[in-house]
Amino acid sequence: MKSETPALPTKRPASTAAFERALRLMPGGVNSPARAFGAVGGSPVFIDRADGAYLFDLDGNRYLDYIGSWGPQILGHRPPAVVEALERALSRGTSYGAPTEAESELAEQIIDAVASIEKVRLVSSGTEATMSAVRLARGFTGRDLIIKFSGNYHGHVDSLLVAAGSSAATLGAPSSPGVTSGTTKDTLVLEYNDVAELAQAFSVHGSQIAGVIFEPVVGNMGVVKPSEEFCQSLRQLTREHGALLICDEVMTGFRVAFGGAQSLLGLEPDLTTLGKIVGGGLPVGAYGGRADVMDHILPVGQVFQAGTLSGNPLATAAGCATLKQLKETPPYERLEKLSARLEAGLRKAAEAAGVPHTLARVGSMMTLFFNPEPIVSWREASQCDTDRFARYFCHLLDRGIYMPCSQYEALFVSAAHCEDDIDETIAAAGEAMQTL
Ligand code: KE4
């Protein structure tokens, strides 16, 4: 139901004061650089609470939320079923360091949803999931080389923090200091969608490649879709050379479809990594895939991975409730309608203002690029007009529309958004475009 149109947010004195305090305590005043507003300027908005499609800051301003916690909140904030599940779990305790049925429940839901996953291990973040999957690929194959792609972000894993996307690209640290050459010598970085380069890499290094990790729909250089030929080559070349194909679905899992991007692409990877939605807004990551590969993980096999809070009772309760709701009342058709409406409106707004742009969307994740070229890899994504993006972002924020604060991120529509919210966003974007 549409609430009253928010008054334009005044300046955000309470957030500004909170940021000044945070700056004295934490690097950049944040616990993840993606939140630092580094690419858009000004002080980050400090959130007091959230509900449905909305965020509310310390100054009481209301924002339509298109970050959704960077993906997890596909149902919107505080969905009743998730809140109730958390309250029930909390009444029984918070963490035991011993197995619980909830972990088996969540594992079963993941295995049921993602056809290529026969066994799964729960961890506490997407980074842990990708780090573990890469270690497993190396342990299973006995090989060292891992291929990743520029602009793909797989969390802050040392060996994968090379030409990384998301906030690493946003803040100019795609290859981070502190990651040694010894760590990254076994990481080959190729261009996304470049089939010839991929084939060349396998012709030269094929017998040393443990695995290829990629985003099956990229969210971390903005949204970039894989070509059909690229997907086919990834699967064929890895299979031919005995390397594992790792689909990093931390963002796309349960987002673009209940079975993830792989279900849309008709792809059967050897391993899949998950996060975000699978925890319903609480810390859950997961990696899973072929049972013969997963059984190389300790204590069955010899590849080590562990975690104090892996499968945490509160986090698994939120994850189980979220996946249960996504399965029983799938929001995907509604998300497609709302997202298509938003896409059409943003395109029209940019065209009306004569702003050079392209827009890429898969389901309820999309990116408006301030670049007229079709974006198929980091080569094009890195040429976007990020200054223009920053002005666009700030204009929308001042009108109560909270977009991801980087050109190299996806926006997310949630099941809590309604047509009026979309139309309000389009109107504000139309205004913003005229000022760019
Ligand atoms: P986390 O460790 O942040 O849970 O997951 C890392 C990760 C792995 N793989 C993919 C495809 C991802 O998108 C991510 C994390 N995504 C970013 C946003 N693009 C998280 C936001 C942040 O870093 O604060």
Side-chain angles (χ1 to χ4, degrees):
M1 192 256 302
K2 173 98 179 86
S3 57
E4 72 294 339
T5 307
L8 286 188
T10 55
K11 291 299 166 208
R12 297 178 275 268
S15 280
T16 304
F19 188 47
E20 284 160 6
R21 175 188 177 208
L23 281 169
R24 295 193 295 273
L25 304 167
M26 296 167 280
V30 293
N31 287 304
S32 190
R35 311 170 193 167
F37 275 31
V40 295
S43 299
V45 176
F46 275 60
I47 303 306
D48 175 51
R49 66 185 181 89
D51 203 17
Y54 304 114
L55 296 169
F56 299 85
D57 71 13
L58 297 182
D59 293 287
N61 298 305
R62 190 203 78 169
Y63 302 89
L64 258 175
D65 179 19
Y66 287 98
I67 294 189
S69 179
W70 301 98
Q73 307 294 21
I74 191 169
L75 296 177
H77 293 283
R78 301 183 68 251
V82 176
V83 172
E84 286 157 24
L86 278 170
E87 287 167 346
R88 281 195 301 275
L90 184 59
S91 69
R92 298 195 298 275
T94 57
S95 180
Y96 315 123
T100 64
E101 279 267 73
E103 293 160 80
S104 302
E105 173 62 31
L106 184 52
E108 242 168 29
Q109 288 175 292
I110 291 169
I111 291 166
D112 168 59
V114 186
S116 65
I117 297 181
E118 297 172 334
K119 278 195 175 176
V120 66
R121 172 61 68 85
L122 303 179
V123 292
S124 298
S125 70
T127 294
E128 273 192 273
T130 58
M131 174 175 65
S132 308
V134 163
R135 185 182 309 130
L136 175 56
R138 286 171 162 153
F140 176 76
T141 61
R143 301 174 179 180
D144 296 344
L145 284 183
I146 290 286
I147 288 178
K148 79 169 290 283
F149 299 94
S150 295
N152 282 214
Y153 175 70
H154 305 291
H156 60 96
V157 187
D158 270 10
S159 62
L160 299 178
L161 266 184
V162 189
S166 185
S167 54
T170 303
L171 300 171
S175 304
S176 170
V179 176
T180 65
S181 54
T183 304
T184 56
K185 69 178 175 52
D186 294 325
T187 306
L188 274 181
V189 182
L190 305 180
E191 282 299 331
Y192 197 81
N193 276 321
D194 190 329
V195 173
E197 192 184 36
L198 180 67
Q200 172 66 8
F202 270 95
S203 68
V204 174
H205 304 287
S207 59
Q208 290 92 41
I209 298 172
V212 178
I213 187 168
F214 78 117
E215 293 183 57
V217 171
V218 185
N220 289 294
M221 51 176 146
V223 173
V224 174
K225 303 175 194 177
S227 69
E228 193 172 336
E229 192 189 3
F230 185 60
C231 289
Q232 286 166 355
S233 300
L234 282 166
R235 184 61 286 182
Q236 184 187 335
L237 288 165
T238 47
R239 197 161 272 153
E240 275 172 13
H241 292 270
L244 297 188
L245 182 59
I246 306 168
C247 253
D248 181 355
E249 298 231 39
V250 167
M251 186 183 290
T252 53
F254 301 99
R255 165 60 62 178
V256 298
F258 190 65
Q262 58 190 268
S263 69
L264 300 179
L265 299 170
L267 205 54
E268 187 179 351
D270 301 296
L271 291 174
T272 296
T273 56
L274 296 166
K276 296 181 192 281
I277 291 173
V278 81
L282 270 70
V284 176
Y287 63 102
R290 286 167 39 193
D292 65 316
V293 177
M294 290 300 293
D295 281 345
H296 278 69
I297 289 289
L298 213 68
V300 184
Q302 291 300 301
V303 179
F304 187 79
Q305 178 266 310
T308 302
L309 297 176
S310 297
N312 170 271
L314 299 185
T316 48
C320 289
T322 299
L323 297 198
K324 184 171 185 290
Q325 182 161 333
L326 290 174
K327 180 172 185 175
E328 291 177 355
T329 49
Y332 299 100
E333 276 183 32
R334 181 161 180 276
L335 286 172
E336 178 56 29
K337 285 198 185 87
L338 288 172
S339 304
R341 188 183 185 99
L342 180 59
E343 173 184 357
L346 292 178
R347 286 180 186 279
K348 196 171 166 200
E351 280 150 20
V355 172
H357 69 285
T358 51
L359 190 150
R361 176 175 74 84
V362 180
S364 58
M365 60 187 271
M366 75 183 89
T367 300
L368 177 73
F369 291 98
F370 287 91
N371 180 340
E373 297 300 316
I375 312 287
V376 297
S377 74
W378 179 243
R379 287 190 195 107
E380 300 81 23
S382 58
Q383 300 308 308
C384 287
D385 184 342
T386 51
D387 291 338
R388 183 167 253 177
F389 173 83
R391 297 196 297 275
Y392 168 75
F393 171 85
C394 292
H395 191 99
L396 286 180
L397 188 69
D398 285 343
R399 278 148 190 78
I401 311 287
Y402 201 141
M403 289 288 181
C405 45
S406 163
Q407 172 70 95
Y408 305 126
E409 296 287 359
L411 75 79
F412 301 101
V413 179
S414 84
H417 285 75
C418 66
E419 279 195 2
D420 283 350
D421 296 328
I422 299 298
D423 293 347
E424 180 186 339
T425 305
I426 292 167
E431 275 182 32
M433 290 290 178
Q434 294 298 330
T435 69
L436 299 183

